[in-house]
């Protein structure tokens, strides 16, 4: 059964076997892993993951694809959850003391909200390997002082160690997207800098709301110039030059 990729689901199916093999090598699945794949599509990576693990669970929104996967893998150790990954309870997939390994070719149109949704389950995840739009991955891993550094960088780097592994060209997909993609590895930090997540979110959202202004003006009404100095921040600097540790200092002071 031929499946027509649906634009509303942001479907671009990875078909390049060399790229698929490279992703599997990066993930290095082990037989007893609690592996979860988000958005398996037509099962190109699913098939390779099943070769390496005793059981695989997948979360798929498109019901037509669920039927294709059920038929294609009916004799394999695959459990399919038909539903929206943005609303899915990933903690429900854990077993005893075993944590999850999460992988997926994430739809570009929901990638950022999905990353924040998964961050709520960080305590029950070993690692995450995702294919995302290259520009999104560059923002995720960006260092202070870079044009890509912003809210996404700070909030994710607070919880994860992240590495851009390699770039994937549009030609590796059917249909080809208009942008390059990248593979990112995300490992939850054992001890993130102590602060309240919601306060950090408030601080970072406020700070990056007016990138061209100096941080004193960006956070006016939330912090005084003295508050910034006490947190180790030059009031005249711009938000994209302030480190994660200094944003955490502000969150603690809030």
């Amino acid at each position: 059964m031929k499946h027509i990729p649906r634009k509303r689901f942001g479907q671009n199916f990875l078909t390049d076997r060399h790229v698929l093999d490279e992703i599997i090598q990066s993930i290095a699945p082990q037989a007893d892993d609690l592996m979860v794949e988000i958005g398996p599509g037509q099962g190109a990576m699913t098939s390779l993951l099943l070769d390496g693990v005793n059981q695989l669970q997948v979360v798929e929104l498109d019901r037509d694809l669920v039927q294709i996967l059920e038929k294609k893998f009916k004799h394999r150790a695959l459990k399919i959850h038909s539903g929206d990954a943005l609303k899915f309870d990933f903690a429900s997939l854990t077993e005893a003391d075993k944590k999850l390994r999460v992988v997926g070719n994430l739809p570009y149109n929901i990638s950022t909200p999905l990353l924040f949704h998964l961050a709520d389950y960080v305590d029950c995840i070993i690692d995450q390997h995702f294919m995302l739009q290259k520009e999104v991955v560059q923002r995720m891993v960006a260092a202070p002082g870079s044009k890509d550094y912003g809210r996404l960088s700070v909030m994710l780097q607070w919880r994860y160690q992240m590495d851009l592994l390699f770039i994937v060209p549009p030609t590796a997909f059917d249909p080809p997207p208009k942008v390059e993609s990248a593979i990112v590895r995300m490992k939850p930090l054992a001890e993130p800098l102590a602060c309240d997540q919601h306060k950090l979110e408030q601080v970072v959202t406020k700070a990056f709301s007016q990138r061209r202004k100096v941080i004193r003006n960006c956070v006016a009404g939330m912090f005084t110039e003295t508050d910034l100095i006490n947190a180790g921040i030059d009031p005249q600097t711009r938000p994209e030059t302030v480190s994660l540790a200094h944003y955490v200092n502000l969150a603690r002071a809030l």
Side-chain angles (χ1 to χ4, degrees):
M1 182 160 83
K2 175 70 173 173
H3 180 80
I4 306 300
R6 293 179 175 175
K7 200 167 186 179
R8 69 189 176 99
F9 289 151
Q11 291 176 345
N12 299 91
F13 300 123
L14 182 61
T15 56
D16 187 303
R17 182 57 193 256
H18 173 73
V19 173
L20 283 162
D21 287 341
E22 201 169 353
I23 294 171
I24 294 296
Q25 287 174 15
S26 299
I27 297 168
Q30 304 299 307
D32 61 349
D33 283 343
L34 276 182
M35 189 75 70
V36 183
E37 183 183 8
I38 298 172
Q42 299 181 91
M45 187 157 70
T46 310
S47 180
L48 298 177
L49 288 169
L50 281 167
D51 290 338
V53 297
N54 294 330
Q55 185 184 47
L56 175 65
Q57 306 204 53
V58 300
V59 182
E60 176 56 58
L61 177 61
D62 189 331
R63 291 178 184 175
D64 289 347
L65 285 174
V66 168
Q67 291 182 352
I68 290 172
L69 293 166
E70 286 173 342
K71 186 175 181 181
K72 186 173 183 178
F73 298 109
K74 64 180 177 181
H75 299 303
R76 304 289 297 274
L78 180 69
K79 184 171 183 181
I80 303 171
H81 302 273
S82 179
D84 187 348
L86 281 170
K87 300 172 184 173
F88 192 79
D89 177 11
F90 286 90
S92 67
L93 304 182
T94 58
E95 296 175 5
D97 296 329
K98 290 188 70 173
K99 296 184 177 183
L100 307 175
R101 302 192 68 199
V102 186
V103 303
N105 174 17
L106 302 189
Y108 295 157
N109 56 346
I110 62 161
S111 59
T112 299
L114 186 51
L115 288 169
F116 281 116
H117 177 62
L118 284 162
D120 291 338
Y121 299 96
V122 70
D123 292 334
C124 59
I125 290 175
I126 294 173
D127 60 13
Q128 301 174 163
H129 290 81
F130 293 135
M131 170 113 62
L132 294 158
Q133 187 173 333
K134 184 179 78 172
E135 286 74 12
V136 173
V137 178
Q138 287 172 329
R139 284 163 49 208
M140 292 164 66
V141 304
S146 136
K147 66 179 175 61
D148 295 317
Y149 183 75
R151 170 178 170 264
L152 189 66
S153 322
V154 176
M155 293 308 301
L156 291 181
Q157 289 174 29
W158 173 58
R159 299 309 306 267
Y160 300 94
Q161 173 193 327
M162 291 180 295
D163 298 291
L164 190 165
L165 300 184
F166 57 91
I167 306 298
V168 180
T171 51
F173 298 87
D174 178 29
K178 295 178 181 177
V179 294
E180 287 185 306
S181 304
I183 304 297
V184 64
R185 176 183 289 138
M186 306 173 67
K187 289 189 173 183
L189 295 170
E191 294 185 18
L193 295 172
C195 76
D196 180 274
Q197 176 181 340
H198 298 294
K199 288 183 178 178
L200 182 62
E201 179 76 44
Q202 281 180 267
V203 169
V204 173
T205 300
K206 180 88 168 166
F208 286 99
S209 61
Q210 304 175 81
R211 289 182 72 103
R212 297 192 176 188
K213 294 189 175 182
V214 298
I215 193 160
R216 179 190 62 197
N217 295 339
C218 293
V219 298
M222 183 179 276
F223 298 104
T224 66
E225 190 164 313
T226 302
D227 291 333
L228 291 171
I229 293 168
N230 289 341
I233 300 168
D234 177 356
Q236 293 298 322
T237 197
R238 293 189 185 278
E240 64 267 24
T241 66
V242 177
S243 72
L244 165 62
H246 286 124
Y247 278 119
V248 167
N249 287 346
L250 285 180
R252 289 172 181 163
L254 191 62

